[in-house]
Amino acid sequence: MSLIMKSVLITAGLGLLFVIIEWNMMRKKKEGVTAADKRNLRDLVFLTAGACALVAFAVANLT
């Protein structure tokens, strides 16, 4: 497995861990998961994908 793939998988894993933690925190609120919470969660997924692309680009250009 190449260095690029390893770094992207680590970044994606951390991002998905944040998504799961955020979902559990939203679920435990008194009013439950609202539409705004779902938008925030979607944005977090997009940020994770963007971070993965940025890490892949950076690692590919540094090696």
Side-chain angles (χ1 to χ4, degrees):
M1 188 179 274
S2 69
L3 178 64
I4 299 170
M5 188 64 113
K6 286 180 187 177
S7 58
V8 168
L9 287 176
I10 290 171
T11 306
L14 288 174
L16 290 177
L17 181 67
F18 287 142
V19 168
I20 291 169
I21 290 170
E22 193 69 28
W23 175 261
N24 284 331
M25 288 172 51
M26 289 177 191
R27 198 175 46 119
K28 291 179 182 177
K29 289 191 316 188
K30 185 161 77 169
E31 62 271 5
V33 180
T34 62
D37 291 336
K38 289 181 182 177
R39 282 193 304 268
N40 290 339
L41 202 61
R42 182 199 62 204
D43 292 342
L44 188 57
V45 170
F46 286 150
L47 282 172
T48 299
C52 287
L54 184 65
V55 165
F57 179 75
V59 172
N61 285 324
L62 291 176
T63 56

